[in-house]
Amino acid sequence: MNGAVKEFVHSIINTLESVLPSKEYIPLHEPEFSGREWEYVKDCLDSGWVSSVGAYVDRFEQMLCDYTGSPYAVAAVNGTAALHICLLLAGVKAGDEVLVPAATFIATANTVTYCNAIPHFVDVEERTLGLDPHKLNDYLKEISEFRRGICYNRLTGRPIRAVVPMHTFGHPVDLDPLQELCERYHLVMVEDAAESLGSLYKGQHTGTRGLVSSLSFNGNKTITTGGGGAILTNSKSIAKVAKHMTTQAKTPHRWEFNHDLIGYNYRMPNINAALGCAQLEQLPGFIEKKRNLARCYQVAFQDIPGIRFFTEPDFARSNYWLNVLILDEEFARERDNLLESTNNAGIMTRPLWTLMHKLSMYHDCPRMDLSVAEDLESRVINIPSSAYLGK
C-alpha cells in the first residue's frame, strides 16, 4: 500500500476502534445470552420434551405473532427450510422463474432451485440495498407478456411466478411499489425477512406484507435458536398447510403412519424453541442496543473522507442487523486492503456476498441489468454489529 492508502485504511481502523471496546478480537455478530435461556433449556431437558413437539414451540410461535403482528407463525428448523416451504406455498412449480435480487445470501436462490424452478436475477437500489421495484417494473415491461392471466418471460417462454424481496442486513425494501408491481404482473410476493426481525416498513413489521415470508434465527441473527427459522402468513389455511408440510405431511392418528402430501422434516425442535422464547423476551432491548450502535457509527464516520455509514431509508425503522460502510467509488479499489487490514487488527469485517449470477451454478440464469448490484459489490463492507456493542 502506498502512503495515501495506508493513511485511509488507518483512519478507518482508528474510527472503528473509537466506537468498539478494547478486545483482542471482535466478531462480526455474536449472540447474547443474558436472559432465561439456561432456565428454559434446562426445563426441556428435565421434562424430556426436546424434539419437534412441545410447549415451547407453541409458545415461540405465539410470541412471534405478538411481536410481528402476523396472525400466524410456523416455526421451522432453519430459515432456508422456511423459505423453501414459502415458495411451495406460493405455487412455485418446476420450470417457473422466480425473481430474486442478485445481491443476496445464496439461500434465496437455492430455495428456488429446490423447487426445480429457475432464479431470475434482478437489480437492487443503493437507497435500501434491496430489490429495486422501479427498475424491475421497467424491465418487466420489456420482457413479459400475459398468457391466460399468467405473467410469462417472452424471451424464455417460462412463467414468472413470484418475486422474493430480501431485506438486506435488516433494511426494509420499498414494499408499496413492489406490491403494486406484483398486482400488475400477477406475481406472488414472498418476503425473505431472514435478516429483518425487528425492522418496520412504514410502521408495519417486515414479513407481513407478502403472501408468506421467512425468518431466520441462525447463531448470527438478531435473536437465535441455534439453528431455526419461521414462516409468517396472514392466512389461517396457509398456516395450517405450512405446519402440515413441515411435519412430513403426516395425518393425525394415534399410531398409524399415513401421509397425504410430499412433506418435509422441517419442524423446529422444542429445545431450540425454548432458547428462542428466552431470546424473544430480550428482543426489544437487543434492537435498542443495535440502533444505538448504529448511531455511534454514524457520528464517528460522518467526517471521514472516502467512506460513509449506511443509514435506514426514511420510510423504515431498521434493526441494523449488520452495519454497513460504503466506500466512495474512487476508493472501491481499496476494499480488499481495508478488509485485510481490519481483520488483521482483530476487527472482523466482510464484503457483500458474491453476486448470485457470478456463481458457477447460477451463471446461465436469466438476469436483467445488474449494474447497481455490481457497483455495490465492490464497495460494501460489513462491520461488527453485535447487540452488546451498543450498550
Side-chain angles (χ1 to χ4, degrees), residues 115-364:
C115 300
N116 293 310
I118 296 95
H120 186 148
F121 299 118
V122 300
D123 208 4
V124 299
E125 59 175 335
E126 188 164 337
R127 180 178 60 142
T128 66
L129 303 179
L131 187 150
D132 185 336
H134 304 289
K135 189 172 180 179
L136 177 57
N137 183 61
D138 292 340
Y139 176 64
L140 289 175
K141 285 180 182 177
E142 296 177 6
I143 64 102
S144 69
E145 62 184 17
F146 282 97
R147 303 179 194 171
R148 301 177 299 280
I150 298 172
C151 181
Y152 275 77
N153 182 343
R154 61 179 178 80
L155 303 179
T156 64
R158 292 187 291 251
I160 304 176
R161 190 72 60 184
V163 58
V164 186
M166 197 276 285
H167 303 296
T168 309
F169 307 135
H171 299 293
V173 168
D174 194 355
L175 292 172
D176 280 348
L178 182 60
Q179 197 157 32
E180 293 172 7
L181 178 151
C182 289
E183 293 171 1
R184 186 177 306 120
Y185 291 98
H186 302 181
L187 303 174
V188 181
M189 183 163 72
V190 176
E191 287 183 70
D192 183 346
E195 301 174 358
S196 62
L197 181 66
S199 296
L200 306 179
Y201 175 78
K202 297 184 177 179
Q204 183 176 356
H205 199 285
T206 54
T208 59
R209 293 287 290 269
L211 178 73
V212 281
S213 70
S214 62
L215 299 172
S216 172
F217 312 115
N218 189 30
N220 66 345
K221 293 300 191 295
T222 305
I223 69 162
T224 184
T225 58
I231 299 160
L232 301 182
T233 180
N234 296 318
S235 167
K236 182 178 181 179
S237 61
I238 288 176
K240 184 177 180 180
V241 175
K243 186 164 287 194
H244 186 55
M245 290 178 68
T246 56
T247 335
Q248 294 286 24
K250 183 181 181 296
T251 56
H253 195 278
R254 288 176 62 193
W255 60 80
E256 290 185 352
F257 288 86
N258 292 318
H259 307 262
D260 56 4
L261 294 171
I262 295 175
Y264 302 85
N265 185 19
Y266 280 177
R267 289 290 284 155
M268 177 184 285
N270 196 50
I271 194 168
N272 296 82
L275 183 62
C277 289
Q279 289 272 286
L280 269 175
E281 290 173 351
Q282 302 165 80
L283 179 56
F286 290 162
I287 299 295
E288 181 181 353
K289 287 186 284 187
K290 288 174 71 61
R291 289 181 60 81
N292 184 57
L293 175 63
R295 285 190 290 268
C296 292
Y297 276 137
Q298 184 179 1
V299 171
F301 279 98
Q302 63 185 355
D303 296 323
I304 305 300
I307 200 164
R308 68 180 175 90
F309 178 74
F310 182 87
T311 56
E312 64 197 2
D314 56 9
F315 51 68
R317 181 183 183 275
S318 176
N319 66 5
Y320 284 94
W321 171 57
L322 285 186
N323 290 297
V324 176
L325 296 176
I326 301 182
L327 293 162
D328 291 353
E329 291 182 5
E330 60 268 31
F331 287 92
R333 63 185 180 276
E334 308 306 337
R335 187 200 71 169
D336 289 349
N337 283 328
L338 187 53
L339 289 168
E340 181 177 10
S341 298
T342 49
N343 280 282
N344 287 345
I347 300 172
M348 185 177 178
T349 58
R350 76 173 197 193
L352 189 66
W353 311 280
T354 300
L355 300 182
M356 296 298 99
H357 68 291
K358 295 184 177 181
L359 299 173
S360 59
M361 68 287 274
Y362 294 129
H363 184 265
D364 295 327

